[in-house]
Amino acid sequence: MYPEDMRILVKGLVANEGQTLKTALYWLEGKLVTHNVNKVKPAGTPMSATTIKNYLAGFYVLDLYKADGHIYSKTNTEKTRPSISVQSTIQIINPLENLAQNSPSLETFNENLTQICSQYSQLVKDYTNARFQLHEKHQLSENPKPALLQKLLIQHCGYSYVGNPGVGYLELFYRDKIEIDNYLNLLDFILNNYRDIAQKSLGLVPVAQIRDRVVKQVSDYTEEDLKKHLIQLQLTRRIELRTTKSQLARNMGIDLIDIRGVKYGFIKILEPAIAV
């Protein structure tokens, strides 16, 4: 599931609040298309109503909306799978409307959706806790093989199966949550150490100063981590990366940092981050 698809699904649920799931399906048909080429359908082919309904079922089990009249069907393999009547009435959670209206970029949308799921979805909260327990007690790495992950979840965390929306689906939220926490922690570090400087210099802070300090103070934090997280902070409109000419940088006594082939001398902390 791509972030752009998730955003369309959220807009469909919000637009059809109080209506039936069938109405939401009609609204979504033609707006969602396939991304990958396969033997049957080329990329860009409209998704079928069944595929869209399966995605909406995934949003349902993530507690993003309620639907009356839902049922649960059981397969022969004893795996429970949510099956929602298309006549069910949709009742979205309040943050979903804000998410649809206040996410100017896909990066911001993805961050906001991940945080909503981390707060409201019991499935995501349980999975995040299970991953933490496996890391603490069984030294599970951050990137385990799927077979090992499934085995440990069943053995130690009470998972009797890996059902809809599946561990692979939950992994998206788990990994996004870790990534989001990482770049927000960097923002906190910058604000804690450079807020006073930024407030006196129109929000500007030398990038090299941040690099030297954070790499020195955080033992497992690398310059590559810093560059990646600075880009994410820029994409989510918390900072701007400012280019600086080499001669000016030398005159000012600052080092330039190369990020994706562009040399930056400063970041500018944007409102409202600097005022927090």
Side-chain angles (χ1 to χ4, degrees):
M1 174 64 78
Y2 291 77
E4 52 265 41
D5 295 336
M6 291 187 177
R7 182 154 70 172
I8 293 171
L9 287 166
V10 167
K11 287 181 178 179
L13 287 170
V14 171
N16 292 281
E17 161 74 358
Q19 303 298 314
T20 65
L21 192 67
K22 187 175 184 178
T23 303
L25 283 170
Y26 283 144
W27 190 95
L28 288 163
E29 284 184 359
K31 294 182 173 70
L32 291 163
V33 299
T34 58
H35 296 270
N36 299 319
V37 178
N38 59 44
K39 294 180 180 178
V40 180
K41 298 178 180 179
T45 302
M47 291 185 188
S48 67
T50 300
T51 299
I52 296 172
K53 186 172 182 288
N54 288 338
Y55 285 143
L56 288 174
F59 272 44
Y60 172 78
V61 297
L62 289 170
D63 301 317
L64 296 177
Y65 70 96
K66 297 177 182 178
D68 62 359
H70 67 272
I71 62 172
Y72 282 87
S73 63
K74 286 194 173 182
T75 67
N76 293 332
T77 56
E78 299 182 352
K79 294 182 179 180
T80 305
R81 181 175 58 196
S83 178
I84 309 171
S85 168
V86 293
Q87 300 304 325
S88 297
T89 300
I90 296 168
Q91 180 184 351
I92 63 171
I93 62 173
N94 291 333
L96 216 59
E97 185 171 0
N98 292 331
L99 177 67
Q101 296 175 351
N102 300 310
S103 299
S105 68
L106 279 177
E107 292 81 12
T108 301
F109 171 84
N110 197 45
E111 176 185 317
N112 292 339
L113 176 62
T114 301
Q115 291 179 332
I116 288 171
C117 287
S118 298
Q119 182 178 355
Y120 287 88
S121 171
Q122 192 59 48
L123 203 65
V124 171
K125 288 190 283 189
D126 289 346
Y127 181 75
T128 301
N129 183 63
R131 286 296 306 267
F132 176 78
Q133 295 298 326
L134 291 177
H135 174 72
E136 289 290 301
K137 297 180 179 180
H138 303 281
Q139 293 74 54
L140 184 69
S141 69
E142 285 295 338
N143 296 293
K145 292 183 178 179
L148 174 62
L149 175 59
Q150 181 170 335
K151 177 182 177 182
L152 292 177
L153 285 169
I154 293 171
Q155 287 181 343
H156 302 290
C157 301
Y159 282 65
S160 58
Y161 63 91
V162 178
N164 190 345
V167 166
Y169 196 71
L170 292 172
E171 273 284 278
L172 295 175
F173 293 98
Y174 175 77
R175 295 193 179 282
D176 283 348
K177 181 64 166 63
I178 290 174
E179 199 60 48
I180 290 165
D181 286 346
N182 283 338
Y183 68 73
L184 291 182
N185 285 339
L186 174 62
L187 180 64
D188 287 341
F189 179 91
I190 293 170
L191 292 173
N192 288 338
N193 289 282
Y194 297 101
R195 179 185 274 111
D196 291 343
I197 294 174
Q199 288 174 337
K200 296 174 183 177
S201 60
L202 301 177
L204 296 173
V205 181
V207 181
Q209 275 192 32
I210 299 170
R211 176 201 60 191
D212 295 343
R213 191 162 191 167
V214 70
V215 171
K216 181 179 180 181
Q217 291 187 17
V218 184
S219 59
D220 59 346
Y221 198 80
T222 68
E223 185 169 334
E224 289 307 309
D225 292 328
L226 173 71
K227 293 177 181 180
K228 178 173 65 175
H229 297 150
L230 286 174
I231 290 170
Q232 289 167 318
L233 289 174
Q234 177 166 256
L235 289 171
T236 54
R237 297 294 299 160
R238 291 180 168 93
I239 69 166
E240 288 179 357
L241 288 163
R242 294 291 183 88
T243 56
T244 308
K245 292 183 177 180
S246 299
Q247 184 61 52
L248 177 60
R250 284 194 293 269
N251 293 342
M252 299 178 69
I254 63 171
D255 293 332
L256 298 180
I257 303 296
D258 187 300
I259 302 178
R260 295 182 176 178
V262 180
K263 293 184 177 181
Y264 297 98
F266 294 88
I267 68 163
K268 178 179 174 61
I269 306 173
L270 301 177
E271 296 285 359
I274 196 172
V276 175

